[in-house]
Amino acid sequence: MKNKSIFILALLVCLSSSAFAAIYPPYLFDNPSYQMIHARQDKAYYMDSSSIVVKTNTTEELLIAVNEVSASFDYDRLTDIESFKAIDQVRTFWYYKPLNENKTYMTHAVIAGNDILLPPYIGEEYVYYSTDNGHSWMPFDTTVNSGPTRIRARAFKLLMQNI
């Protein structure tokens, strides 16, 4: 009886912790302008490629703004399909890529009427993002495929494919 109980308990643990492959729509509302960046736990993030604005594109730097939409979904265990529930948020992300490896200092710029500081070059694979119109910047490695910045890396790659 003890062996049977242990087997049943182990089976329940395996079943409850097994990963499922939920199916999220690759495009929000089947609109190719809204490409999925990342999806997990009934939430998906989509890039609105129709909202891309190139703020600066020179030999020294690249600055692009784009809207991202987060959407909630409901998971159907029978079909493994996520059904759209609601739009949670629309946020504008700015991506800044210093291109001059000699620019190892902050620079000042006025972009769209905003006084901002642009961060330095820290390596070929690094890009910065901002969620507050360039008032603060966070770097990320575009080659990373795991961890919290993988979403930014994926978004930047999609962005570059769409400009």
Side-chain angles (χ1 to χ4, degrees):
M1 182 66 177
K2 188 175 184 180
N3 286 342
K4 191 175 185 180
S5 297
I6 292 173
F7 174 74
I8 290 173
L9 181 61
L11 183 62
L12 287 174
V13 168
C14 289
L15 288 175
S16 66
S17 66
S18 66
F20 58 87
I23 301 170
Y24 292 86
Y27 303 104
L28 188 60
F29 307 125
D30 292 326
N31 184 341
S33 292
Y34 290 90
Q35 298 173 327
M36 184 171 55
I37 299 168
H38 180 73
R40 184 170 181 247
Q41 296 180 334
D42 296 335
K43 176 145 339 234
Y45 300 91
Y46 293 87
M47 180 184 69
D48 177 6
S49 60
S50 68
S51 72
I52 296 172
V53 175
V54 177
K55 303 262 185 199
T56 305
N57 186 6
T58 67
T59 57
E60 300 278 318
E61 60 198 9
L62 175 64
L63 177 62
I64 304 169
V66 65
N67 289 334
E68 290 184 13
V69 177
S70 62
S72 295
F73 288 83
D74 282 325
Y75 176 67
D76 182 349
R77 287 187 176 274
L78 295 175
T79 63
D80 283 341
I81 294 176
E82 294 279 352
S83 301
F84 175 76
K85 184 176 173 185
I87 297 290
D88 295 329
Q89 187 178 31
V90 177
R91 292 173 60 182
T92 301
F93 282 80
W94 284 22
Y95 291 92
Y96 176 67
K97 173 76 174 141
L99 301 171
N100 182 352
E101 59 189 50
N102 294 322
K103 183 189 174 274
T104 56
Y105 49 87
M106 302 285 286
T107 55
H108 176 266
V110 176
I111 298 176
N114 293 317
D115 287 327
I116 60 174
L117 288 174
L118 296 173
Y121 179 92
I122 56 174
E124 177 62 32
E125 64 276 358
Y126 288 95
V127 175
Y128 296 87
Y129 76 93
S130 173
T131 58
D132 59 4
N133 297 328
H135 294 289
S136 62
W137 296 97
M138 291 295 298
F140 64 93
D141 184 336
T142 57
T143 62
V144 170
N145 293 322
S146 62
T149 61
R150 74 184 179 279
I151 299 169
R152 293 298 109 227
R154 167 95 171 119
F156 184 73
K157 289 173 187 170
L158 276 176
L159 182 62
M160 295 308 290
Q161 291 172 4
N162 283 281
I163 60 168

